[in-house]
């Protein structure tokens, strides 16, 4: 029952499914607004997305194609829809927020012989192993295994991934293989690691590129690398709104830093300080004393008054912390720069400390299956309360009422005119003509797949945050997150490593020195790392991707020349937390609905009253001006389907998931024809 | 309001909940009555187990039901084969585990579990230890579980080393856990019955150092540390024998309060039949005991902890252990060699530099100084006491008493060096008197200008006292002046003596000396 057309009227149309947009969508939908949520991509979460390895390869491919072909658009289609007194603001159809993408593979590309004879996927495997550019072939093969059989590779891989996630929240991964007909028993046997909890039994076995592709589904590779402060705005919102029930989380186990080329643990909690072997007892006391002071530094202004105009670094020196401790506090606890002023440094330290102990020994959480889960959780929430979702479906232009200079409608990529009272859009959809300034910052990113942890310890299933002070005074500080396989973001036996810093050059220029400092990067792909004791002490890089992402977080409404009821959401920022995006979402929501509560707790499923017909039927859901009868019944059908979802959702989250997944697949295909 | 999800009102919800609660209560009460009826009818069957199981799994604190279950189980045990008994009790253990999830601190559950293990033909102690591990990782201060763990460890013979490692692990995750520290202090003596002389002397202190440098206000580590430094106890022995030929008395002082039974007095090789009485009739246990004898001895031996005392013609004589032999006042803190103590004192001083206001650190330093060289450190000790009283005013009286004790000890040591029988400690803010057993042979005491509130009953141990000066105190009670055989002169000017009938033997004159008549 693919939808022919969408309802022609909504309260809020939201374009882009990144975190900020998704939170706004959920918040609006929760208080009864009709929400249409669109994304031009075939996956959720925009630049916040997580990809399986294969889907990432397709994403890379798409990026490369986009660089070559500049799409020319025909404007004439929608001209006829514009009435008198209306103006048009076109939107950009090209996403230019990603740049300087480079991919290098160091894993051996030779075939795995014993598997070739057994595994049914052999036909496509040699192709996979050849080059990056041919990866999509392998990907589509996988897509054929999926139930829906759609032609879009990435979205299917994603969907499938979603499904097995929901059915086996944190079970051993090999059980998920059962649901995939193509994965035979032989493969399971040849796979030495059966569960994320088990340490790799067969350490000698090399991980080949082919293996990465074959196990690609076990990866969930984030474009943005962030952690959740356990008392940050995002966690508070997840709890307040009950959206947290859609996701699972893992504690970050330890915080590491790199000093003089050596990776070591940062003692940041009371237990860490107590157990630390690298600190002298006096250092332990000094550090604890300083941290205790930071917890309520506002109460002791006399301690830092003289330093308010001076850098935090100098204040630390004055506090007689040893060099050691100064580094720990500055880079790993406050996570600020040499230039940061004292008060800001103290605030950052305080925030860090207040987050300690809520869920564990470090202040951070990470969502299982990757950060991309979080925007999707909010989308799910939006859908539960009646929001309508369309992927691969964008807006060509805004229709502005000349008199009031307000957007009154949008024209979507299918040429339908949809009226709305508010339009929320992600920054990358905005054309340069609508910008007052185009001076953005950039974030440099690197994603690595490695064969072991930068600091092996008792447990090989820990997520580590590694703060790397600038290698040279001019270079930026680099933040690294090392994810283990039990975080459900990489295959067992590997680690997924994210590096992030604010750009001074291309991502590769910024981050390659750090990569070679901490990892073994072989010169020839697949070359056996030399067994020299020193070299082998570093984990080997199997695969690496560098790219820059535009950081528009510094922009505000004055940076755009747009009608007042258009709300622009900036993309992900470079900081470790997501507070900036959540605060923006809240402020946009209050702009749209000044009198409504932002994301009140979703009601307990048992307390919801169902009366045969959905709420759409009983109330005047739309101002019935432009609506045809057909549209209306369509709307009711859609709405009813969503309204029923809370009842099914309560008992089984899998049901829930299928409802959200349904919305886009119902509407998208027809839009392309 | 369109598009909003409709939610039941709070009143509706309340009503539903209330009804549910009522229903539950009714079911509970009827089940309880049924069980009690069954019990009084003496029915010990499977059904009884089932019924009690239902109630206990929602309320595991119902002790009567656990008792009933035990009766039933004991009865069923007689009817079954050994294999079946094992199964019966194993299922009981599973049931208890479920109950512990409802209330992990239920007395009834833990007690029943111990009991079941005594009835099990083949108890599985490994599993029980695992249960303890799990419970303690959830709540490291569940004392029910600690108790049970000790039972399990004892029964299953888990090695002390293993348990020590377990405490290491718990302390590592949260060192503010006195249960674990205390457990260590019970394990270490088992591992090393005698303090090990030289096995990496600092290793065992390291854990405590880490704890109190990380958080010097956490008292658990400090207590453990003090225990580590001084786990010695004084041996019971005779420390002093005093013989007065003219008073026809023998006084014996012991190293700690005792009740003498069978203390034998041998005069010139002849065992004597003598009555011993404690220094003051109020004490059943006393460090000082006095006997009267009419013989004129030249040498005494008293048995039990044998002590020989020669009286060579003089009117009186004594022999005693020298207080300067260090042991006397050090016993509280230190079996360690002074090199170790010196190192520990350095560590603590290091901490004090960082935390000049920390009371635990100050107090520990005082104790260490006393163990090392009480006279040499006297000045610093007094200064530290002053700081202690300022930073911890709630306990200033405690610190004053402790300081008085140390001052008295020091004066005794000084007296010893000077070899005199005069004890003078005026104008030192003394608040209490102690170690009076050490002053058995002292003739002159000057306690003027202090803050003493009373002359305690122990004062009666000063068997040789002739002159007492205690002007300018706040003395109210003179109980201790009881039966001091040699007392000649007492000066108690400017005190707050409350006269009772007992003390009428004294003639009071607030402005002049008081002369006591024997």
């Amino acid at each position: 029952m693919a939808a022919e057309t969408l309802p022609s009227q909504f309260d809020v149309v939201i374009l882009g499914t990144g975190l900020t947009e998704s939170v706004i969508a959920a918040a609006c939908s929760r208080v009864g607004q009709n929400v249409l949520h669109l994304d031009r991509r075939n996956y959720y979460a925009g630049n916040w997305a997580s990809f399986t390895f294969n889907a990432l390869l397709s994403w890379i491919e798409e990026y490369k194609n986009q660089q070559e072909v500049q799409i020319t658009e025909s404007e004439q289609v929608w001209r006829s829809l514009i009435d008198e007194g209306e103006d048009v603001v076109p939107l950009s159809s090209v996403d230019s927020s990603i740049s300087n993408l480079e991919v290098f593979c160091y894993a051996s590309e030779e075939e795995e012989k014993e598997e070739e004879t057994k595994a049914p996927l052999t036909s496509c495997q040699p192709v996979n192993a050849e080059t990056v550019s041919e990866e999509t072939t392998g990907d589509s093969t996988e897509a054929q295994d999926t139930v829906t059989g759609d032609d879009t590779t990435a979205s299917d891989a994603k969907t499938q991934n979603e499904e097995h996630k929901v059915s086996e929240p944190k079970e051993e991964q090999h059980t998920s293989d059962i649901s995939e007909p193509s994965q035979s028993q032989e493969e399971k046997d040849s796979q030495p690691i059966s569960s994320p909890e088990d340490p790799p039994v067969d350490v000698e076995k090399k991980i080949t590129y082919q293996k990465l592709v074959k196990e690609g589904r076990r990866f969930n590779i984030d474009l943005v690398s962030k952690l959740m402060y356990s008392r940050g705005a995002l966690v508070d919102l997840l709890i307040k709104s009950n959206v947290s029930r859609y996701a699972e989380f893992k504690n970050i186990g330890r915080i590491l830093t790199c000093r003089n080329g050596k990776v070591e643990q940062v003692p940041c909690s009371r237990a860490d300080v107590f157990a630390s072997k690298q600190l002298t007892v006096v250092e332990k006391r000094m550090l604890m004393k300083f941290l205790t002071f930071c917890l309520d530094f506002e109460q002791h202004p006399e301690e830092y008054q003289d330093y308010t105009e001076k850098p935090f670094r100098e204040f630390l020196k004055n506090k007689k912390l040893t060099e050691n401790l100064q580094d720990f506090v500055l880079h790993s606890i406050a996570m600020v720069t040499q230039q940061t002023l004292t008060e800001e440094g103290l605030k950052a330290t305080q925030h860090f400390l207040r987050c300690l102990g809520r869920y564990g020994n470090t202040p951070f959480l990470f969502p299982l299956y990757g950060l991309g889960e979080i925007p999707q959780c909010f989308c799910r929430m939006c859908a539960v309360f009646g929001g309508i979702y369309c992927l691969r479906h964008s807006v060509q232009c805004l229709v502005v009422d000349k008199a009031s200079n307000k957007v009154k409608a949008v024209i979507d990529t299918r040429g339908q005119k949809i009226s709305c009272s508010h339009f929320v859009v992600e920054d990358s959809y905005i054309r340069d003509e609508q910008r007052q300034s185009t001076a953005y910052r950039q974030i440099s990113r690197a994603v690595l797949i490695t064969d072991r942890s930068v600091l092996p310890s008792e447990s090989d299933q820990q997520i580590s945050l590694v703060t790397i002070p600038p290698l040279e005074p001019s270079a930026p500080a680099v933040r690294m997150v090392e994810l283990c396989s039990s975080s459900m973001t990489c295959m067992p036996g590997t680690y997924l490593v994210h590096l992030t810093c604010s750009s001074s050059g291309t991502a590769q220029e910024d981050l390659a020195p750090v990569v070679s400092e901490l990892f073994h990067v072989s010169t020839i792909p697949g070359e056996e790392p030399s067994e020299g004791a020193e070299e082998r002490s570093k984990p080997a890089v199997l695969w690496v991707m560098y790219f820059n992402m535009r950081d528009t977080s510094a922009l505000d409404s004055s940076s755009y020349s747009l009608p007042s009821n258009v709300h622009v959401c900036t993309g992900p920022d470079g900081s470790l937390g997501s507070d900036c995006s959540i605060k923006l979402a809240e402020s946009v929501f209050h702009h749209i609905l000044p009198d409504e509560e932002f994301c009140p707790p979703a009601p307990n499923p048992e307390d919801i009253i169902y009366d045969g017909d959905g709420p759409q039927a009983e109330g005047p859901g739309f101002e019935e001006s432009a609506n045809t009868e057909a549209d209306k019944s369509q709307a009711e059908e859609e709405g009813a389907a969503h309204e029923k979802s809370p009842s099914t959702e309560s008992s089984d989250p899998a049901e829930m998931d299928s409802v959200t997944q349904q919305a886009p697949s119902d509407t998208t295909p027809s839009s392309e024809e | 309001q369109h598009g909003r999800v409709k939610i039941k009102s709070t009143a509706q919800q309340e009503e539903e909940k209330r009804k549910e609660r009522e229903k539950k209560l009714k079911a509970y009460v009827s089940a309880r009555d049924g069980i009690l009826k069954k019990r009084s009818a003496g029915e010990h069957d499977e059904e009884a187990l089932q019924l009690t199981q239902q109630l206990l799994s929602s309320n595991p604190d119902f002790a009567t039901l656990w008792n009933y279950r035990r009766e039933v189980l004991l009865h069923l045990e007689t009817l079954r084969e050994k294999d079946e008994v094992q199964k019966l009790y194993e299922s009981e253990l599973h049931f208890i585990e479920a109950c512990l999830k409802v209330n992990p601190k239920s007395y009834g559950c833990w007690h029943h579990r111990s009991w079941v293990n005594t009835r099990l033909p083949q108890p599985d102690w490994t599993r029980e230890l695992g249960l303890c591990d799990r419970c303690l990782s959830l709540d490291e201060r569940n004392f029910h579980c600690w108790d049970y763990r000790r039972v399990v460890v004892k029964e299953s013979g888990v090695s002390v080393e293993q348990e020590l490692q377990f405490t290491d692990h718990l302390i590592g995750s949260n060192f503010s856990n006195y249960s674990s520290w205390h457990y260590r202090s019970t394990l270490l003596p088992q591992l090393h019955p005698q303090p090990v002389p030289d096995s990496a002397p600092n290793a065992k202190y390291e854990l405590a150092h880490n704890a109190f440098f990380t958080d010097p206000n956490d008292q658990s580590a400090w207590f453990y540390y003090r225990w580590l430094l001084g786990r010695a106890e004084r041996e019971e022995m005779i420390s002093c024998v005093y013989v007065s030929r003219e008073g026809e008395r023998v006084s014996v002082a012991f190293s700690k309060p005792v009740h003498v039974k069978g203390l034998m007095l041998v005069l010139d090789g002849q065992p004597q039949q003598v009555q011993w009485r404690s220094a003051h009739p109020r004490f059943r246990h006393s460090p000082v005991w006095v006997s009267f004898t009419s013989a004129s001895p030249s040498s005494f031996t008293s048995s039990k902890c044998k002590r020989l005392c020669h009286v060579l013609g003089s009117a009186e004589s004594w022999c005693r252990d020298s207080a300067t032999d260090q042991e006397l006042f050090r016993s509280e803190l230190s079996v360690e060699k002074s090199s170790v103590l010196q190192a520990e004192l350095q560590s603590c001083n290091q901490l004090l530099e960082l935390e000049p206001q920390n009371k635990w650190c100050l107090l520990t330093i005082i104790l260490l100084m006393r163990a090392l060289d009480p006279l040499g450190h006297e000045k610093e000790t007094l200064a530290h006491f002053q700081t202690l009283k300022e930073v911890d005013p709630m306990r200033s009286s405690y610190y004053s008493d402790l300081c008085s004790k140390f001052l008295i000890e020091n004066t005794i040591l000084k007296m010893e060096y000077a070899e005199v029988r005069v004890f003078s400690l005026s104008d030192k803010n003394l608040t209490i008197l102690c170690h009076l057993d050490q002053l058995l042979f002292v003739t002159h005491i000057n306690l003027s200008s202090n803050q003493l509130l009373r002359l305690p009953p122990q004062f009666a141990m000063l068997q040789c006292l002739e002159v007492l000066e205690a002007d300018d105190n706040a003395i109210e009670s003179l109980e201790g002046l009881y039966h001091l055989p040699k007392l000649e002169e007492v000066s108690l000017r400017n005190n707050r003596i409350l006269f009772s009938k007992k003390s009428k033997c004294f003639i009071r004159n607030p402005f002049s000396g008081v002369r006591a008549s024997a």
Side-chain angles (χ1 to χ4, degrees), chain A residues 270 284-285 289 607 611, chain B residues 8 176 210 213 354-355:
Chain A
R270 200 164 164 266
K284 289 183 182 198
R285 184 80 290 268
K289 201 172 174 172
D607 295 336
D611 34 19
Chain B
K8 291 177 191 164
S176 300
N210 280 341
F213 269 90
L354 304 169
E355 297 292 320

Side-chain angles (χ1 to χ4, degrees), chain A residues 11 31-32 34 270-271 273-274 281-282 284-286 288-289 385 596 603 606-609 611 615 618 621, chain B residues 2 4-8 13 171-176 207 210-211 213-216 218 350-351 354-355:
Chain A
D11 295 328
V31 296
N34 279 300
R270 200 164 164 266
V273 173
F274 170 71
V281 283
V282 174
K284 289 183 182 198
R285 184 80 290 268
M286 296 308 289
M288 283 303 287
K289 201 172 174 172
F385 287 93
E596 293 285 356
E606 294 136 43
D607 295 336
I608 297 174
I609 299 170
D611 34 19
E618 63 169 88
Chain B
H2 68 266
R4 278 173 193 256
V5 172
K6 282 203 227 157
I7 299 166
K8 291 177 191 164
Q13 288 173 18
I171 290 171
S173 61
N174 176 13
F175 64 87
S176 300
L207 203 62
N210 280 341
F213 269 90
T214 304
D215 185 355
D218 189 289
Q350 206 174 19
L351 178 59
L354 304 169
E355 297 292 320

Side-chain angles (χ1 to χ4, degrees), chain A residues 225-227 250-257 263-266 362 364-366 452-457 459-468 479-487 495-499 519 576:
Chain A
S225 172
K226 284 179 182 295
L227 299 177
K250 185 173 164 66
N251 266 316
I252 276 55
R254 52 188 188 166
I255 293 174
L256 308 176
T257 189
V263 177
E264 54 187 344
Q265 188 160 358
V266 178
T362 73
F364 304 109
L365 293 177
F366 182 78
R452 94 190 121 101
S453 172
V454 287
L455 186 64
S457 69
S459 158
D460 65 342
Q461 291 301 326
Q462 289 200 76
I463 302 178
S464 312
L465 169 65
V466 192
T467 53
I468 302 153
R479 195 176 71 227
M480 182 166 116
V481 175
E482 183 188 73
L483 300 164
C484 55
S485 59
S486 65
S487 70
Y495 288 84
L496 182 64
V497 180
H498 289 281
L499 286 90
F519 301 92
L576 180 57

Side-chain angles (χ1 to χ4, degrees), chain B residues 13-28:
Chain B
Q13 288 173 18
E14 287 293 304
E15 181 63 17
E16 269 175 34
K17 275 185 195 149
R18 194 188 60 77
K19 274 190 186 146
E20 202 150 292
R21 270 203 301 273
E22 234 167 53
K23 225 167 94 188
K24 253 191 189 164
L25 182 67
K26 224 172 140 188
Y28 183 86

Side-chain angles (χ1 to χ4, degrees), chain B residues 20-216:
Chain B
E20 202 150 292
R21 270 203 301 273
E22 234 167 53
K23 225 167 94 188
K24 253 191 189 164
L25 182 67
K26 224 172 140 188
Y28 183 86
V29 168
S30 75
R32 182 200 63 193
D33 292 344
I35 292 169
L36 295 181
K37 214 167 124 193
K38 229 172 135 56
R39 191 187 185 197
S40 50
E43 289 175 41
H44 294 121
D45 51 13
E46 294 267 4
E47 193 198 24
L49 284 184
Q50 273 166 25
L51 288 174
T52 50
Q53 179 158 354
Q54 279 167 18
L55 281 200
L56 284 170
S57 50
S58 63
N59 174 19
D61 296 311
F62 202 152
T64 311
L65 299 188
W66 287 115
N67 287 337
Y68 184 30
R69 271 184 95 77
R70 278 193 282 278
E71 289 167 16
V72 175
L73 288 168
L74 283 175
H75 176 72
L76 291 176
E77 202 181 301
T78 59
L79 306 176
R80 300 200 182 181
E81 295 293 315
K82 201 181 159 197
D83 284 4
E84 285 182 25
V85 171
Q86 175 84 14
K87 263 186 211 148
L88 180 72
Y89 281 118
E90 267 171 11
S91 68
E92 191 68 5
L93 287 179
H94 282 296
F95 167 55
I96 297 169
E97 218 172 305
C99 291
L100 284 175
K101 280 177 193 156
V102 178
N103 179 8
K105 292 190 173 180
S106 160
Y107 284 86
C109 283
W110 289 104
H111 178 244
H112 191 62
R113 199 168 182 91
S114 298
W115 180 83
V116 169
N117 273 315
T118 63
R119 305 300 307 170
L120 255 181
Q122 285 145 354
D124 181 356
W125 294 114
T126 325
R127 183 193 54 204
E128 296 307 298
L129 200 65
L131 177 87
C132 292
D133 283 352
R134 252 183 304 143
C135 281
L136 289 177
S137 70
L138 292 172
D139 178 2
E140 64 224 354
R141 303 182 201 195
N142 185 341
F143 65 86
H144 303 266
C145 186
W146 278 108
D147 278 344
Y148 185 65
R149 187 183 183 92
R150 279 187 275 275
V151 172
V152 172
V153 165
K154 199 174 151 214
E155 292 295 332
S156 60
V158 176
S159 76
V160 176
E161 283 91 346
Q162 248 174 306
E163 286 299 279
L164 212 54
Q165 260 178 18
F166 174 70
T167 64
D168 272 344
H169 168 72
L170 280 191
I171 290 171
S173 61
N174 176 13
F175 64 87
S176 300
N177 179 354
Y178 196 65
S179 308
S180 303
W181 291 107
H182 170 72
Y183 195 34
R184 280 183 80 79
S185 72
T186 63
L187 293 170
L188 280 174
Q190 290 179 47
L191 204 57
H192 315 291
Q194 292 303 314
V196 198
D198 273 321
S199 70
N202 285 318
K204 61 179 175 179
Y205 294 108
E206 208 175 295
L207 203 62
H209 286 169
N210 280 341
F212 62 66
F213 269 90
T214 304
D215 185 355

Side-chain angles (χ1 to χ4, degrees), chain A residues 208-220:
Chain A
T208 60
Y209 183 73
Q210 191 185 346
K211 185 112 187 158
L212 293 181
V213 172
K214 197 156 120 204
E215 299 280 322
R217 232 172 254 289
R218 300 189 181 221
F219 288 90
N220 278 298

Side-chain angles (χ1 to χ4, degrees), chain A residues 153-225:
Chain A
T153 55
S155 78
D156 274 352
K158 187 75 190 160
T159 310
Q160 172 115 0
N161 170 42
E162 285 278 274
E163 281 167 3
H164 85 93
K165 175 213 104 176
V166 170
S167 49
E168 289 105 21
K170 48 185 170 187
E171 288 302 308
E172 289 86 336
Q173 297 193 338
H174 66 90
T175 51
S176 67
D177 290 342
I178 294 162
S179 65
E180 297 163 33
S182 66
Q183 311 265 346
S184 66
Q185 184 63 36
E186 287 95 316
E187 194 219 310
K188 225 193 292 173
D189 294 341
S190 68
Q191 164 66 282
I193 306 114
S194 57
S195 86
E197 269 71 47
D198 288 343
V201 191
D202 188 1
V203 190
E204 293 307 306
K205 185 154 185 180
K206 262 176 25 190
I207 292 160
T208 60
Y209 183 73
Q210 191 185 346
K211 185 112 187 158
L212 293 181
V213 172
K214 197 156 120 204
E215 299 280 322
R217 232 172 254 289
R218 300 189 181 221
F219 288 90
N220 278 298
I221 301 168
D222 293 326
L223 294 184
V224 181
S225 172

